Amino acid sequence: MADAPATLNPAQLEAVHHLSGPCLVLAGAGSGKTRVITHKIARLLQAGLLPKQIAAITFTNKAAQEMRERAKGLVGPRAAKDLAVSTFHSLGVRMMREDGTRLGLKEQFSILDSDDVLGVLRDAGSCTDNAMAKRWQWTISLWKNQGLDSDGALRAAKDDDEQVAARVMKLYEERLAAYQAVDFDDLISLPLKLLQRDAEARAKWQDTFRHVLVDEYQDTNSVQYELLKALVDHEDDRRRGLFTAVGDDDQSIYGWRGATIDNLKRLPQDWPRLKVIPLEQNYRSTGNILRAANNVIAGNPKLFEKKLWSEFGDGDPVRLLECDGEEHEAERTVAFIQGLRGQGGALADGRQGGQTNFSDFAVLYRANHQSRVIEQKLRAAQIPYKVSGGQSFFDRTEIKDLCAWLRLLVNQDDDPAFLRAVTTPKRGIGHTTLGKLGEFSGKWKRSLFESLFSDTLAAQLGAKAIGSLHEFGRYINELEHRARHTQGSEDAKALLLEWLKDIGYEQHLYDSEDSEKLAASRWSNVMDFVDWIAKRCGGVITQEGGTFETEKQTVLQVAQTISVIISLAERGDEQDVVTLSTLHASKGLEWPHVLLAGINEGLLPFKSDAEEMTPQRLEEERRLMYVGITRARSTLVVSTLRRRKKGRETVQGIPSRFIGEMKLNENTVKEDPRERLKRLRTELAARAAVPPPP
Ligand code: ATP
Ligand code: MG
């Protein structure tokens, strides 16, 4: 997947060679923006920068790994290994790990994931209503992404609900401080605070990174932009503003999470020397696909005028599937994949010959739940697939159990992790004991772990209870010591397996699951998890697209980053499987053959009964459609449902307005009768392969 060195067009070359000041590449989908970043890395090395002086920031961990992989093809494995390629969040972890103490954070702080945050919020706001706690979570996160703390939020609160949320935020902040924990938003805002308040730290980090490159710039939020700015706002005029951002305002799809297109508008104002470079040639899609994409996005007001053309010729027409319902759609999806695989082969424009692989296909949809029926039919037809952007591997109970243990090793003051670890598996420490421990720790303002060894507490608890607590405490201390000193994949694996054995985790799974099969599958996830950590400790990361090396790490180091680096996709080795993905998670990627599923009013544009469709929301949904269409290189199928399920009901399906906006003419969608017959046959076969419902 490495990019060949010499293939850049003049506009791309201009962006790659512009080294003396800030640069923005603003261009449509598939125009080679990400390619500019990888090639610019090579150029910067050539110009004398060391790999570790180049920071490349991507939107997901997976994209970061792919970026490193591509860079490897250009600059070799040695240099690629030292590049600072990461997401904003993992960059934040690195900065906080090195300098968090300067903000009063202890060295081994822990990182709460979204579930932990929800738990803390429920607790802080004494609330049993999950939906309410989730709303607080959203509101607080949006505030944090606007750079507000709870005092600021209280002033900004527009109504009673927001006032309550702001007060809960205050308690939340206090708890996080007490637990020595940070949430994901803090991973951006704390480094920013560091750079803004601490001149010495600012000088150090500005000196560390001599050039910062940002992919998918349109989806940064304001705190991320401020962080970028702080990193490159050097005092020395010659070194100020050395960054390259690439992005596409038409692909901004994270507005709901606080990303703001204002960041794009602000760039030329904040950086008068900004060089803005448009790219116009699309190297991904055929003419028919590109036209459909351009037609759809034309419905949005333009921030920047962009042209996009392709040299590939029209290619196959974009195909529209009208399906009776979800089941039918899933059957036709299977038929689509089998049909094209059966044909073997070349893309419409003749770019790629040979066998069509499963990995050449993606099925994209707006909402996670849409994958379920499709998964069923794919399984029945024995088509291998992976689901990305859905429930993450690391959201599974068994993995979270173990992560709680690891977090406790990293930071013994992490009370939520303590509570989970001390009770999973059960070790004879009951509610009464934990209640007393909690009371004690609250009274003396100490963490649970710290309180556990106190003599005063011992006087209040029975000998048995205190014995079990001490045993647990000693075990954690010992494990921490070993995790701190164990690196390399084999030693790490041995340590992890021993730990699981010590705590009896496998038995715990079999005791707590009704079915043995389920317990076995959970245990196999645990083994995957162990391998995953062990590999990282050995400095090897395998994923789609290849394997690359980073530094060896201790188990403790890997444990600290765990909540930040994880997704199922990252775990996967190179596999020949069909991708099922949400449209959001498909950003930046491409496949030869793409099917967009459930393109209906209500699904895309997505609309829940409770909320109103504002013009801004509609525009964001349209951008999602644009992102979906432009993932396809050669074949694009758009599927719509005549009837669709909505909760327990079945309602009439209305084709999405975006289908009309694609302006597919009659000719483009009509199927060749022979093709149609062939497809019908495969469809029937697919249907036959599915056992009838019980
Ligand atoms: P997106 O907006 O979806 O993120 P992008 O602008 O980042 O797209 P890339 O992913 O960099 O686009 O490139 C799209 C495809 O075009 C890739 O397969 C890439 O290898 C190819 N490509 C880019 N530039 C060139 C070029 N100058 N010559 C040949 N192929 C190119
Ligand atoms: Mg890209």
Side-chain angles (χ1 to χ4, degrees), residues 392-596:
S392 148
F393 180 71
F394 288 82
D395 292 338
R396 293 166 203 257
T397 320
E398 60 277 19
I399 306 301
K400 298 202 105 171
D401 286 346
L402 302 181
C403 284
W405 277 81
L406 296 175
R407 266 175 35 212
L408 189 59
L409 297 188
V410 168
N411 169 16
Q412 302 186 329
D413 296 337
D414 185 337
D415 283 359
F418 177 92
L419 286 173
R420 187 155 186 164
V422 81
T423 50
T424 322
K426 295 253 177 303
R427 57 189 57 256
I429 298 176
H431 279 300
T432 331
T433 307
L434 290 176
K436 288 228 172 93
L437 180 66
E439 235 169 70
F440 183 89
S441 80
K443 189 163 153 210
W444 298 101
K445 300 221 172 311
R446 292 186 194 163
S447 71
L448 295 168
F449 191 88
E450 204 186 346
S451 309
L452 165 165
F453 288 111
S454 144
D455 292 338
T456 333
L457 178 74
Q460 295 174 19
L461 284 172
K464 188 160 166 275
I466 207 73
S468 313
L469 280 177
H470 283 179
E471 194 187 318
F472 178 74
R474 274 194 299 271
Y475 184 70
I476 292 291
N477 279 334
E478 186 197 311
L479 197 61
E480 191 268 345
H481 178 79
R482 295 176 63 192
R484 185 186 290 279
H485 294 102
T486 305
Q487 59 170 264
S489 67
E490 269 173 42
D491 290 352
K493 186 163 180 173
L495 174 63
L496 294 167
L497 291 176
E498 205 181 312
W499 158 53
L500 291 171
K501 200 158 151 231
D502 288 345
I503 66 172
Y505 195 74
E506 187 175 12
Q507 192 55 45
H508 161 77
L509 288 179
Y510 280 88
D511 292 344
S512 48
E513 282 303 340
D514 292 338
S515 106
E516 283 208 354
K517 208 168 143 199
L518 211 57
S521 117
R522 288 189 180 280
W523 180 245
S524 116
N525 287 336
V526 169
M527 288 298 106
D528 282 358
F529 183 54
V530 166
D531 285 338
W532 182 88
I533 299 178
K535 265 194 193 156
R536 273 195 187 243
C537 290
V540 176
I541 298 176
T542 311
Q543 61 126 38
E544 273 173 274
T547 302
F548 68 86
E549 282 176 38
T550 58
E551 294 151 37
K552 278 196 177 155
Q553 291 193 311
T554 66
V555 175
L556 206 63
Q557 280 170 331
V558 175
Q560 188 174 29
T561 2
I562 263 173
S563 10
V564 186
I565 344 177
I566 9 206
S567 71
L568 179 60
E570 253 194 278
R571 215 173 43 107
D573 299 325
E574 193 158 359
Q575 292 166 317
D576 182 24
V577 299
V578 172
T579 299
L580 304 191
S581 170
T582 59
L583 288 161
H584 281 103
S586 75
K587 200 168 64 139
L589 306 176
E590 61 186 26
W591 294 269
H593 313 295
V594 171
L595 185 143
L596 305 180

Side-chain angles (χ1 to χ4, degrees), residues 15-16 18-19 36-44 211 213 244:
V16 165
H18 184 73
L19 304 181
V36 162
I37 294 210
T38 44
H39 283 255
K40 191 148 186 177
I41 291 174
R43 175 72 189 99
L44 287 163
H211 199 104
L213 306 119
T244 304

Side-chain angles (χ1 to χ4, degrees), residues 33-34 215-216 284 588:
K33 297 183 294 299
T34 303
D215 199 2
E216 307 278 4
R284 180 179 293 147

